[in-house]
Amino acid sequence: MAERMLKFVSVEKGMPDKRQAEARRSDFNEIYGEFAREKAAEQSARCSQCGIPFCQVHCPLQNNIPDWLKLTAEGRLEEAYEVSSATNNFPEICGRICPQDRLCEGNCVIEKGFESVSIGAVEKYITDTAFERGWIKPVKPLRELDQSIGIVGGGPGGLAAAEQLRRRGYQVHVYDRHDRMGGLMIYGIPNFKLEKPVVERRTRLLADSGATYHSNVEIGRQISLPELRNRHDAVLIATGVYRARDIKAPGAGLAGIHEALDYLIASNRKGLGDPVPAFDDGTLDARGKNVVVIGGGDTAMDCVRTAVRQGAKSVRCLYRRDRTNMPGSQREVLHAEEEGVEFLWLSAPEAFLGDRYVRAVRAQRIHLGVADSTGRQTPSIIEGSHFNVEADLVIKALGFDPEDLPVLFNEPELAVTRWGTLKIDQRTMMTSLDGVFAAGDIVRGASLVVWAVRDGRDVADRMRSYLQAKAAAQPLAAD
Ligand code: FAD
Ligand code: SF4
Ligand code: SF4
């Protein structure tokens, strides 16, 4: 092993080629290319095959990273794919969009002074190659079962559960209020981080595996939750979190001020070739505008970088904390800066100025004081520090809360936490309603794709136990 691996001493960390910022600014294509075969093998060989691999410990899926790195270094790609896909339903997606600096790579313990192994890029390379070579086939269960499952929400949580349950032969029906499956992977996350054909080949594969999609169906409106429970032997709620947090400030109702997700969905739909009236009439198009995005998370970073690509005149990001205290990935801030975004750290909006349309954001400076019980420094306003930022499109990206599901589903017995997320029994992952399970952001609050996949896989196991017990109680049912 030692001969082939442990190359971190002689080989520097490398990533697939990153396109120059100038070229990136004018299209929505992903910014990284693909590793060449030799490069992927060389980078994989930097791994020192740790006895206790902290990369794996800090991957939410506990991916067997050292093994697939070693197999890639040895050129045994098909086996690398088998290992990688054993723990992850969407390795090529996680490889693209996980914040690796906070997860696997951030915990890679190559000797001090050497940069981590490029884990995400290798993970993406393995599965993209597997698709290209035709190694990835639709799931074929050993036998079909009669029991059926209704999944509400076709995001990564719902789809990961769907695939796991199809493997076991259950009849899986996924309901989504949108016209395409994929959840935020299709309509939230921009193309330059995750190209849509990458998501679409996954949703197609699942359909070819026998999952039935019911798109344009909103549970709670077109079909009630009780009706869904009657149709299926078990139900999974994986609806994500979508209620945008708002800003209460004078002028907040002016035209030209929009929610981040409305803006991103319009842009993604446009990229997918859909007619988008609110984009076509200029409302949600940043072209030629001075854009101000408020917020410091990944959604804000996606908005600023989308505005750059739409040809905005200027793009500024207003955030009340500083760079080191922002929730968004540092890697994404760097990309945004390279692409010409200006960050106004320690600044918060006080009012929106304009007659009918917004023309400026009045902001004030913030001082970060001592840390509170959560360890975060408390922001306080510096009196008399007002300044105006020119704006004719303002995008609010302050995070998301869950919708009021007991009301939406007209199901007061559906228990929620004080944050509005669904309450589940941690052991069974079942909600307060018998046979109704929940997973993903609707349980965790706004999180990550990789955590939704983790939850989807876990809940599939728990649902299977429930369904087996149910079938055993009804001797004529299958399984
Ligand atoms: P979702 O992906 O939100 O899917 C839920 C689905 O349920 C949606 O399709 C919705 O239409 C559907 N639905 C909701 N209510 C109903 C109903 N009543 N009836 C029928 N269907 C319904 N994570 C990362 O790991 N990396 C990133 O780079 C990243 N970037 C992000 C950028 C943005 C702009 C946003 C908003 C999020 C980002 N995330 C990122 C977070 C990630 O997308 C989510 O954590 C993840 O998608 C959650 O998965 P989910 O399956 O729980 O829900
Ligand atoms: Fe790293 Fe995410 Fe892949 Fe896990 S799933 S190995 S955290 S990129
Ligand atoms: Fe390899 Fe880094 Fe993981 Fe160690 S922590 S097994 S060096 S990738």
Side-chain angles (χ1 to χ4, degrees):
M1 181 271 284
E3 273 169 42
R4 197 180 294 273
M5 304 304 285
L6 287 158
K7 293 278 166 57
F8 66 89
V9 193
S10 53
V11 179
E12 282 189 10
K13 177 175 182 166
M15 287 288 287
D17 288 341
K18 184 160 112 177
R19 297 194 297 133
Q20 293 297 313
E22 205 39 55
R24 278 155 34 196
R25 285 168 59 93
S26 55
D27 66 42
F28 280 79
N29 299 338
E30 282 181 11
I31 71 168
Y32 286 105
E34 192 76 87
F35 271 140
R37 190 187 175 101
E38 308 72 44
K39 192 90 180 152
E42 185 185 66
Q43 287 296 313
S44 300
R46 293 183 70 242
C47 170
S48 56
Q49 300 283 286
C50 305
I52 299 174
F54 282 99
C55 55
Q56 179 170 5
V57 172
H58 289 270
C59 165
L61 293 161
Q62 268 80 63
N63 280 342
N64 195 343
I65 301 165
D67 278 10
W68 45 255
L69 286 173
K70 183 163 181 284
L71 290 165
T72 306
E74 292 170 356
R76 295 159 63 189
L77 275 184
E78 194 162 358
E79 290 160 85
Y81 165 69
E82 293 299 335
V83 176
S84 160
S85 60
T87 50
N88 191 350
N89 299 76
F90 312 126
E92 75 290 5
I93 294 179
C94 293
R96 283 171 164 86
I97 60 165
C98 268
Q100 285 100 7
D101 46 350
R102 285 192 266 139
L103 300 172
C104 52
E105 293 181 19
N107 290 281
C108 171
V109 289
I110 279 186
E111 293 294 312
K112 219 174 160 33
F114 294 94
E115 282 192 276
S116 69
V117 178
S118 316
I119 299 170
V122 175
E123 188 179 28
K124 163 181 178 273
Y125 167 77
I126 293 169
T127 302
D128 281 348
T129 308
F131 268 111
E132 264 166 41
R133 306 260 177 102
W135 299 335
I136 303 182
K137 299 273 188 273
V139 165
K140 272 213 175 68
L142 286 177
R143 67 183 176 122
E144 293 291 341
L145 303 174
D146 290 335
Q147 286 173 307
S148 84
I149 293 152
I151 297 181
V152 191
L159 295 184
E163 188 172 75
Q164 295 301 96
L165 290 161
R166 270 307 291 147
R167 278 184 207 288
R168 300 291 182 180
Y170 292 103
Q171 306 312 308
V172 173
H173 294 256
V174 186
Y175 299 81
D176 202 291
R177 60 185 172 190
H178 283 312
D179 52 351
R180 292 181 177 88
M181 296 291 153
L184 288 172
M185 299 190 297
I186 201 98
Y187 285 131
I189 301 171
N191 221 52
F192 50 82
K193 277 167 52 183
L194 176 60
E195 287 178 2
K196 299 310 152 204
V198 173
V199 182
E200 287 172 327
R201 75 183 170 190
R202 274 290 169 194
T203 52
R204 248 192 335 268
L205 188 73
L206 187 57
D208 293 345
S209 305
T212 307
Y213 293 148
H214 305 262
S215 42
N216 295 311
V217 178
E218 181 160 1
I219 303 304
R221 295 218 164 89
Q222 279 114 311
I223 301 177
S224 71
L225 186 59
E227 196 184 332
L228 201 69
R229 292 175 75 191
N230 278 337
R231 276 190 195 182
H232 300 289
D233 295 284
V235 167
L236 169 63
I237 302 178
T239 48
V241 291
Y242 285 90
R243 193 153 49 85
R245 293 188 192 137
D246 213 350
I247 305 172
K248 287 189 180 61
L254 288 171
I257 304 177
H258 298 280
E259 303 292 352
L261 211 50
D262 292 341
Y263 175 68
L264 292 173
I265 290 175
S267 174
N268 276 320
R269 277 197 179 281
K270 199 68 206 162
L272 284 158
D274 295 350
V276 188
F279 181 91
D280 296 333
D281 70 10
T283 311
L284 293 175
D285 184 359
R287 178 164 304 280
K289 294 180 183 168
N290 292 305
V291 178
V292 174
V293 176
I294 301 170
D298 285 333
T299 303
M301 296 311 106
D302 289 349
C303 290
V304 288
R305 298 180 65 202
T306 296
V308 165
R309 284 159 175 79
Q310 288 177 347
K313 192 167 153 196
S314 69
V315 184
R316 297 191 178 89
C317 180
L318 211 65
Y319 182 53
R320 65 187 180 139
R321 296 176 188 272
D322 57 13
R323 189 187 190 113
T324 44
N325 286 292
M326 67 180 294
S329 153
Q330 293 295 327
R331 188 180 60 179
E332 296 303 306
V333 182
L334 182 71
H335 291 153
E337 282 179 331
E338 287 170 356
E339 290 162 9
V341 174
E342 185 187 343
F343 284 85
L344 303 172
W345 305 112
L346 296 166
S347 307
E350 184 189 8
F352 300 95
L353 311 178
D355 299 328
R356 209 161 89 69
Y357 289 92
V358 68
R359 65 177 164 75
V361 179
R362 190 160 170 75
Q364 45 199 348
R365 300 264 176 225
I366 300 291
H367 168 73
L368 286 184
V370 286
D372 63 13
S373 58
T374 66
R376 294 197 87 189
Q377 289 174 280
T378 318
S380 58
I381 291 161
I382 302 174
E383 290 305 327
S385 63
H386 317 274
F387 62 101
N388 288 353
V389 189
E390 215 182 339
D392 22 39
L393 174 60
V394 174
I395 300 166
K396 297 177 287 185
L398 295 131
F400 303 95
D401 290 315
E403 278 146 349
D404 193 342
L405 282 196
V407 169
L408 185 69
F409 289 166
N410 193 19
E411 189 54 87
E413 300 300 311
L414 187 62
V416 293
T417 66
R418 65 192 165 105
W419 297 281
T421 48
L422 285 184
K423 232 183 213 172
I424 54 167
D425 176 322
Q426 293 301 330
R427 201 173 41 86
T428 61
M429 295 183 79
M430 193 147 73
T431 66
S432 52
L433 304 177
D434 182 54
V436 179
F437 296 76
D441 279 6
I442 192 58
V443 175
R444 291 180 179 273
S447 179
L448 293 172
V449 165
V450 65
W451 279 114
V453 174
R454 162 86 274 161
D455 290 351
R457 296 174 68 88
D458 287 347
V459 83
D461 285 347
R462 308 302 197 284
M463 291 177 89
R464 182 167 177 245
S465 304
Y466 172 86
L467 290 168
Q468 281 175 328
K470 194 169 170 173
Q474 300 166 338
L476 290 180
D479 196 31

